[in-house]
Amino acid sequence: MQRAALLAVAMFLFSSCSPQRTVGTVGSDSRIEHSVDSLLRLMTLEEKIGQMNQISVGGDVESYAEHIRAGRIGSILNETDPVKVNRYQKMAVEESRLHIPILVGRDVIHGFHTIFPIPLGLASTFDTELAEKTARAAAEEASATGVKWTFSPMCDLARDSRWGRIAESSGEDPLLDAQMAVALVRGYQTDDPSAPDAIAACVKHFFGYGAAEGGRDYNSTYIPERQMRNFFLPPFKAGIDAGVLTVMTSFNDNDGVPSTGNSHLLKDILRKEWGFDGMVVSDWNSTLEMVNHGFAANGEDAARLAANAGCEMDMMSFTYISSLKRLVNDGKVKESDIDAAVRDILRVKYRLGLFKRPYVDTTRTKGAFYKKETLALAEKAAEESAVLLKNDGALPLDASKISRILVTGPMADSPYDQLGTWAFDGEKGHTVTPLAALKERYGDRLQITYFPALKNSRDDNKAGIAQATALARQCDAVLAFLGEEAILSGEAHCLADISLKGGQSSLLEALKKSGKPVVASIMAGRALCIGKDLENCDAMLYSFHPGTMGGPAIAKLIFGEAVPSGKLPVTFTNASGEVWYYNRTNSGRPATGNEILLKDIPENAGQTSLGNTSFYIDSSTKPLFPFGFGLSYAKFSYDGIKLASDVVTQKDSIKVIAYVRNESGPDAEEVVQVYIRDVVGSITRPLKELKAFKRVLIPAGQTAEVCFAIPVSDLAFCGLDMKKKVEPGDFELWVAGDSDSGKPVTFKVSE
Ligand code: NOJ
């Protein structure tokens, strides 16, 4: 490698070695505290309870006037018309006794009008700067309508793709999840949440929601305290440390206690341990749902339990507005607890600048949506989020060497579906599908035949498949766009079978028989089981629902104008019945890889002949793809790791340099990942844990020195004594392109 080039790469890399930006907190502001206290002193009990009441609006605006004027509504959700927002604010600010503005919320989950990749896709970019930019753009669009609060980021760790809301998660890893949460909080709120284009973020669902038993939404979870602290809480804590203004409780009960009524969570951990001074909102009706849980006797009891546990605003169960006054008068809820809740709610409203600027400038919506730069950002995010799972050399296609392509499959031209779940305000009219993008970019050079073969991703009418295969034979390459309609993932959209639905696998199988190169491009809300489909294509590009600009991003990737660089934020399983995650513990009998699978054992074989280890006899000893996996058009080799020292103290950082070479292919970005294993602990320790990652551009033929400085304190965990600390001893460290490759180096943490 040329010295100058090496120097340039090293400079670029070392500049990115500087410590991460310190996480800022909003901090308490004495003027705000003074205003909150003064206002609180003027409030009647009814007015205080009104602040704790959130309703979803719709229909006739004036029908809410009486309640708003009487101070019975503290927050509304689902109003995105700025004129109506201003009318509600006028009722609150000019026509009510205490002039307290309303906080308007909306689920702006992965974009507002311009839709970015679903959060699972955004996580697969491993690009926190980009994630922050997407949240910034979403906040700019949403705030133009008067929306001042989004219910994002979702911080629930998700290890089970049957769960429909895995789409809305950042996947299975606490570090990636935490870093994504911080990025999104920063993007939404900025350093100044009172700015007109900033909105409040909300870390949700506190806590455990993603571990729903059997992957069935809303279901119970069983996460013991130590697991909770070592895996599930860190992303929330990171969001709190980043200054998030609000927290939402979760629907599930964990080990018998519904989150909305869990004072250990909402008081002991959130307030006392973490010092959170923003506000806590319930999830939609989750207060009243404690009756269904069998935890509360009726609505009033539910209100008592939630208010006493520290849930401060009730979303849509109306139990607070209908029972809290009586509960206070009967001495079942202390007025001082109501005061504490209202103080937190008002503090958030002050921090958002709502008292100073309750109205939205209605001219702001003009030109606010789908700006050129926002669309470019959406395209870049979709590009970086696509994960190349297989490539036998079919990709990238060379437009100068082929003349005719077949575009087929139900997701090729399905503008609504590629937006994915939680895209309330995304419009399909603004979506660019792969078909549209392919025609626009390459239509002048290539003959593009479009034949979807299936009506939608669930269609199992196989009548069109033969024609698709016949068309494939007349073409030079086949692009099959498969996956899931938007409706197949998201809240309450869980699946027992997570393989491709309908006739999609049959279509791919038939296309492969055409003998032409077949590229499968999957757009989905989860990690589908695509093992058998991989055998029926020459290349597979996997995009989680990519959003408004998914089409151009995918088209560019297919034709090599962009290079795939996404990495999997979740482990891919071979079959729906499997659950794997990379940071599991080893068990006493880990699989060796030499086990005999069911298909290979003779009849009447003895019970022990398969090997008594931890695996699926009808499937595999390994998942299909490991966490962190993703190919590129470049070939990267990991050419060695240098540790600054193989003995570190508790106060040190682990300084590592990895040499990553782009052996062949185009200049390309690689997500370089550092995994660490704590070899022996006071409790069993994960096989590996992601401790750092960096997305690095490595020019063709060059070697990058990628450096990391990981504080030893990042190795801390809650051990047998439940105290978070680093346990001295031996550690292994890998730097690799995924969680299942590379050779470790070892180091020691001294006493
Ligand atoms: C229920 C969902 O669980 C939550 O995530 C969302 O923010 C609220 N509904 C509001 O729509």
Side-chain angles (χ1 to χ4, degrees), residues 77 107 151 165 168 204-205 209 248 251 283-284 315 422 491:
L77 50 155
D107 288 286
F151 306 111
R165 291 192 87 170
E168 207 188 328
K204 72 185 186 186
H205 306 84
Y209 183 45
M248 186 187 290
F251 285 123
D283 202 345
W284 185 290
M315 183 191 286
W422 290 111
E491 183 174 346

Side-chain angles (χ1 to χ4, degrees), residues 641-658:
I641 309 171
K642 224 189 251 165
L643 271 183
S645 168
D646 53 10
V647 182
V648 286
T649 70
Q650 303 256 358
K651 291 196 190 99
D652 288 340
S653 284
I654 305 147
K655 297 199 181 92
V656 195
I657 299 181

Side-chain angles (χ1 to χ4, degrees), residues 9 12-13 667-670 695-699 704:
V9 176
F12 163 77
L13 295 168
D667 299 353
E669 291 188 3
E670 165 75 335
R695 179 178 260 276
V696 201
L697 173 69
I698 310 180

Side-chain angles (χ1 to χ4, degrees), residues 38 50 100 164 279 312 335 448 480 499 592 666:
S38 316
I100 303 175
M279 72 143 156
E312 302 177 319
E335 185 156 358
I448 299 174
S499 34
T592 60

Side-chain angles (χ1 to χ4, degrees), residues 267-331:
K267 287 191 167 161
D268 302 345
I269 296 178
L270 188 60
R271 302 290 178 183
K272 288 189 203 134
E273 276 185 41
W274 295 354
F276 178 62
D277 69 353
M279 72 143 156
V280 176
V281 63
S282 76
D283 202 345
W284 185 290
N285 199 38
S286 66
T287 309
L288 187 58
E289 285 169 18
M290 290 197 287
V291 175
N292 285 345
H293 277 289
F295 191 72
N298 50 42
E300 182 168 318
D301 199 30
R304 175 184 67 81
L305 286 161
N308 286 339
C311 174
E312 302 177 319
M313 183 179 277
D314 170 58
M315 183 191 286
M316 283 304 287
S317 88
F318 305 103
T319 54
Y320 280 12
I321 200 73
S322 52
S323 336
L324 271 187
K325 186 174 174 200
R326 199 166 39 245
L327 286 164
V328 171
N329 290 338
D330 292 350

Side-chain angles (χ1 to χ4, degrees), residues 411-426:
M411 295 293 286
D413 194 30
S414 192
Y416 175 72
D417 291 315
Q418 75 183 53
L419 298 181
T421 184
W422 290 111
F424 285 151
D425 302 285

